[in-house]
């Protein structure tokens, strides 16, 4: 695999039950490309958490994925409210998610820490009232 | 242990993917918070949960989990069962509460893996 493969996903912000469809689709495609299972799992978990965040906080958005022979890069862009305090948001257990999200199994304040944990590099660009772009890279060992 | 053995220990019914009953389960994770589940990757795990929606199946799918057990007799809706069927993840329902279901499995040799 020498070429870079680029994929784009729209994340529907209105339907929580559909959150995760993009990650699921990507996971299937990476399996078919014979990407090592450990890398696939890291990508799937990080992107799934990101997708959930986009639905909870930002009314959806767009994800672009680039797959090369060395790494997988995911760019999750939304036009949501932005993150007020990135340092706090990165703390395990800190959450600004509404209570109703907790009844759905999320909002434990583990989303961003998990995304960082499973990726080799993560960058957050955010501006209040404009939106947030999270860029994550997983190296293929 | 196999899913079949696990099913007997916690008196569970199976809702889909009966063909996977002989798959091996090595570790277990019990939680209603999916992000807590997503924080701890183990191989060939079973997820025990009181949460009953399709994000449970999505979480198990991302984690490559071998099966899902709904505790306290909770029954997922048809769309959740359908998603699990599509992803090949067996769904089980146990009448036991979370603590007891976990305790029964633990005392029968199924552990949670290293947590530190």
């Amino acid at each position: 695999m020498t070429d870079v493969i680029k994929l784009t996903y729209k994340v529907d912000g209105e339907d929580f039950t559909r959150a995760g469809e993009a990650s699921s689709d990507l996971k299937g495609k990476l399996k078919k490309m014979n990407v090592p299972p450990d890398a696939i799992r890291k990508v799937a978990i990080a992107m799934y958490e990101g997708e959930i965040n986009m639905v909870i906080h930002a009314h959806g958005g767009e994800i672009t994925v680039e797959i090369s022979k060395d790494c997988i890069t995911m760019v999750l862009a939304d036009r949501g409210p932005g993150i007020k305090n990135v340092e706090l948001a990165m703390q395990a257990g800190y959450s600004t998610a509404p209570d109703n999200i907790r009844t759905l199994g999320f909002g434990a304040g583990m989303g961003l820490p998990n995304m960082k944990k499973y990726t080799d590099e993560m960058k957050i660009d955010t501006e209040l009232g404009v939106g947030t772009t999270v860029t994550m890279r997983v190296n293929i060992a | 242990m196999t899913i079949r053995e696990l099913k007997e220990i916690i008196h569970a019914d199976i809702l889909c993917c009966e063909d996977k009953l002989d798959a091996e389960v090595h570790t277990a994770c019990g939680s209603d918070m999916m992000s807590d589940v997503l924080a701890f990757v183990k191989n060939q795990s079973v997820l025990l949960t009181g949460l009953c929606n399709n994000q449970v199946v999505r979480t198990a799918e991302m984690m490559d989990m071998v099966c899902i057990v709904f505790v306290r007799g909770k029954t997922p809706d048809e769309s959740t069962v359908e998603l699990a069927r599509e992803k090949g993840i067996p769904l089980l329902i146990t009448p036991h509460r979370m603590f007891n279901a976990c305790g029964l499995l633990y005392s029968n040799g199924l552990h949670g893996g290293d947590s530190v």
Side-chain angles (χ1 to χ4, degrees):
Chain A
M1 194 168 67
T2 50
D3 297 337
V4 173
I5 296 163
K6 199 170 171 177
L7 303 165
T8 306
Y9 296 99
K10 284 250 180 294
V11 177
D12 180 353
E14 305 307 314
D15 190 355
F16 185 79
T17 62
R18 291 188 58 197
E21 282 184 0
S23 308
S24 175
D25 182 85
L26 177 63
K27 190 171 189 204
K29 287 196 164 86
L30 293 176
K31 261 188 200 167
K32 280 186 190 145
M33 289 177 204
N34 290 321
V35 172
D38 275 4
I40 296 181
R41 188 151 62 183
K42 286 179 185 174
V43 167
I45 295 173
M47 185 157 136
Y48 178 51
E49 288 278 22
E51 251 191 285
I52 294 282
N53 274 350
M54 288 168 110
V55 175
I56 295 175
H57 297 286
H59 316 294
E62 195 175 90
I63 303 175
T64 49
V65 183
E66 283 191 10
I67 306 150
S68 72
K69 67 175 180 22
D70 301 320
C71 66
I72 296 157
T73 308
M74 296 157 273
V75 180
L76 290 75
D78 69 59
R79 292 192 180 146
I83 302 169
K84 207 178 272 178
N85 187 331
V86 175
E87 205 181 318
L88 261 181
M90 287 304 299
Q91 272 181 27
Y94 179 82
S95 175
T96 58
D99 278 344
N100 68 316
I101 292 300
R102 271 177 275 279
T103 66
L104 298 167
F106 288 89
M110 293 302 290
L112 286 171
N114 275 352
M115 288 156 74
K116 188 169 174 62
K117 177 179 169 179
Y118 291 111
T119 54
D120 292 290
E121 196 183 316
M122 182 170 108
K123 187 164 74 93
I124 301 173
D125 295 303
T126 187
E127 196 178 333
L128 289 180
V130 178
T132 300
T133 299
V134 180
T135 307
M136 300 183 282
R137 197 192 72 234
V138 171
N139 294 335
I140 301 173
Chain B
M1 67 177 68
T2 62
I3 297 176
R4 191 185 303 279
E5 288 165 329
L6 172 146
K7 178 178 173 292
E8 276 164 29
I9 292 166
I10 55 173
H11 313 102
D13 291 323
I14 186 162
L15 289 181
C16 67
C17 307
E18 289 85 350
D19 58 314
K20 300 253 170 86
L21 274 171
D22 292 317
E24 281 282 335
V25 180
H26 292 168
T27 53
C29 175
S31 181
D32 293 350
M33 296 305 282
M34 292 303 105
S35 280
D36 285 341
V37 178
L38 289 160
F40 298 103
V41 166
K42 307 280 178 225
N43 281 322
Q44 291 181 280
S45 273
V46 51
L47 169 61
L48 294 102
T49 186
L51 186 70
C52 216
N53 63 33
N54 65 356
Q55 295 306 337
V56 175
V57 179
R58 287 281 180 221
T59 298
E61 179 198 356
M62 301 309 157
M63 306 283 288
D64 301 314
M65 286 178 138
V66 291
C67 75
I68 297 168
V69 175
F70 295 105
V71 298
R72 264 196 293 135
K74 291 186 179 187
T75 307
D77 62 20
E78 191 45 46
S79 71
T80 302
V81 179
E82 194 46 51
L83 183 63
R85 202 173 278 130
E86 185 191 317
K87 300 298 171 188
I89 303 170
L91 298 183
L92 284 81
I93 302 178
T94 175
H96 294 287
R97 293 184 300 260
M98 176 71 99
F99 187 80
N100 288 352
C102 292
L104 283 166
L105 293 176
Y106 197 95
S107 59
N108 277 277
L110 189 66
H111 295 170
D114 297 333
S115 54
V116 286

